[in-house]
Amino acid sequence: MSYTVLARRYRSSTFEDIVGQEPIARTLRNAIESDRTAHAYLFSGTRGVGKTSMARIFARELNKSDGLAQNDEISKAILRGEDLDVIEIDGASNRGVQEARDLIAASGLAPTRCKYRIYIIDEVHMLTTPAFNALLKTMEEPPSHVKFILCTTEPHKVPATIQSRCQRFDFRAISSAKIAAHLNYILGEEKIDADPEVVAQVARLGNGSMRDALSILDRLLAGGVETIKVDDMEEMLGLPSQVSISQLCDAVSNKDIQGAFESADSLLTSGISLDRVLEVVALTFRNALISKVCGMDTEILELSDDARKSVSSIGDCFDEATMTHLIALCDASGRQVRRGGSGRALFDATIARLCLVGEVAEAGAVLSPNTSGAKIKKKSIAPQVSRTPLVETMAELHEAESSSSPEVNWDLLHSLISKTPGLKRITKYLVFSSLEDQRLTMSIADSGQDSVNYILGQRQKMEQMLTKEIGTKFHVVIEASRPRIPSVAMDSSFDEVEDDELVKAARGLFDGTIVHVRNTQKDDN
């Protein structure tokens, strides 16, 4: 007899056996008991979470009757997907409108021996639009003996007109703890021993899918061992060595660059990719962060007892902010090394940066008010802080005066204006007039008379900048000694030029301001 995989041998056969979908099972069971079942259902969720199993169990419970002499035979046939009155259809291979018409024609036939003729359409989102349209009327008002159960992993591809005719149930991803408990049950039935870390790791690799976890367990059992060790699992599945990962994280916590390089190299020589190593290191620091914040015994950590102690010891070496930075660093570098280029060089540089994280001062501390006037101590690596001109000016003022705010005078305001993009080019045209009660008055020099309009147009921007940098409301007054539009030819109309559609388009394109109007034809004459 051929071997049957674990996912089929241990498929759930009752509502009570369903793992991770207890609320849905309870709802469907109560609907049957109260005789309030709908004519169409939509089961949605990721792969391997029990949609088809739930559909078969629901169909069996609907068609089960103690008065039938063949009740047990019918129940077993439904669970195997072989019953004549429970028709399972693969939506991927029966997706056309003709198949939908055949289904509609067959639905008019009475069931052979059960109460209902039930159609289970798997991967229903694969049906074509004409096929969906053909089913609309039948799904809205089917014969009294017909029920539909639609299963899909992509509910957004099912038309709203179909979904509105169904009772929808969203199947959740199964937690690693429930997957691990089911795996332990199956291992007991198979009389196979496994280390707790093996079960926990397989449950995590299942990523919420029971079928995926059972497929991984099948690979481990194929080795023919009676006890599955962690080393056996890592070798068969090609996983990073937990010993090397722990050594690498310990070296990072001890700032041992040489030890970190050696541990990382042992992982790479075993065939683990660069980005995979960084991913596992980031996950280890994530677990350490959770252990430090929530405690070693928190349910958030899906680890064995030994693994919990290991990540807890790593978490004791760092604070929360540092571990958050380490995780972000591993994630960013992992994405970079996947793009190729100098991947190994970047990988090694990342390992070194992980070890030297305590040596680098945070950039934000440079401008922190609590540390202004005090020198930040650095051991070996000085952070490169990117400063804008305004930030440089304000930082210099903070360093010069640690306790009191700087005195507001023309030199300070002139410095701020001259270092602001968009304003510094007009600084040479501004002449200081007065400064009284946060009111700055300036005039335009003779050299700037040809750009009066543009300079006056920057007044509001100047007010906003000074208000933001000084911290109090500032008023700016710019006095022009001449009219705004000098030397305008008498036969040219400034308003006419300003309203011209071409001029408006040019101003919008270049964010410009009209400063001078000249009649070129007159000048040429």
Side-chain angles (χ1 to χ4, degrees), residues 429-482:
Y429 301 131
L430 298 176
V431 179
F432 174 72
S433 296
S434 64
L435 175 61
E436 297 179 0
D437 298 330
Q438 312 303 321
R439 179 184 177 89
L440 173 63
T441 304
M442 296 176 291
S443 61
I444 301 176
D446 292 339
S447 58
Q449 293 302 315
D450 289 338
S451 303
V452 170
N453 272 21
Y454 178 78
I455 297 174
L456 294 176
Q458 303 304 309
R459 183 191 64 80
Q460 187 175 6
K461 180 178 180 180
M462 201 178 301
E463 276 188 351
Q464 294 174 351
M465 182 274 297
L466 292 176
T467 299
K468 179 180 179 181
E469 298 299 330
I470 302 301
T472 57
K473 180 65 176 177
F474 236 85
H475 296 282
V476 175
V477 178
I478 302 178
E479 298 175 341
S481 59
R482 297 190 198 177

Side-chain angles (χ1 to χ4, degrees), residues 231-262:
D231 294 340
D232 298 332
M233 176 189 65
E234 293 171 350
E235 183 178 358
M236 284 188 281
L237 300 182
L239 301 177
S241 170
Q242 289 299 317
V243 175
S244 298
I245 292 294
S246 297
Q247 291 175 348
L248 174 57
C249 293
D250 289 338
V252 170
S253 62
N254 294 325
K255 300 179 177 57
D256 180 10
I257 301 180
Q258 179 181 352
F261 279 159
E262 292 174 351

Side-chain angles (χ1 to χ4, degrees), residues 345-359:
L346 178 60
F347 174 83
D348 290 336
T350 302
I351 297 299
R353 287 182 64 187
L354 293 176
C355 296
L356 296 172
V357 66
E359 306 291 328

Side-chain angles (χ1 to χ4, degrees), residues 279-297:
E279 179 184 345
V280 176
V281 171
L283 179 61
T284 302
F285 282 119
R286 175 263 180 190
N287 292 333
L289 175 63
I290 296 298
S291 176
K292 187 178 184 66
V293 174
C294 303
M296 187 176 64
D297 298 328

Side-chain angles (χ1 to χ4, degrees), residues 192-252:
I192 299 293
D193 293 330
D195 292 343
E197 183 58 31
V198 171
V199 178
Q201 180 74 341
V202 172
R204 289 195 299 272
L205 293 175
N207 196 26
S209 170
M210 182 66 76
R211 184 168 61 237
D212 287 0
L214 292 177
S215 297
I216 296 172
L217 184 60
D218 251 327
R219 291 170 57 185
L220 298 179
L221 296 182
V225 295
E226 295 184 357
T227 301
I228 306 175
K229 300 292 185 181
V230 174
D231 294 340
D232 298 332
M233 176 189 65
E234 293 171 350
E235 183 178 358
M236 284 188 281
L237 300 182
L239 301 177
S241 170
Q242 289 299 317
V243 175
S244 298
I245 292 294
S246 297
Q247 291 175 348
L248 174 57
C249 293
D250 289 338
V252 170

Side-chain angles (χ1 to χ4, degrees), residues 138-182:
T138 302
M139 289 196 62
E140 183 175 10
E141 296 178 355
S144 59
H145 61 270
V146 173
K147 292 187 181 296
F148 291 93
I149 304 177
L150 313 181
C151 302
T152 179
T153 55
E154 301 183 46
H156 59 280
K157 293 185 178 181
V158 180
T161 51
I162 293 291
Q163 295 196 36
S164 65
R165 289 162 167 79
C166 303
Q167 282 192 11
R168 175 172 169 173
F169 291 91
D170 293 315
F171 284 61
R172 301 171 298 181
I174 306 173
S175 67
S176 296
K178 292 184 178 181
I179 294 179
H182 192 60

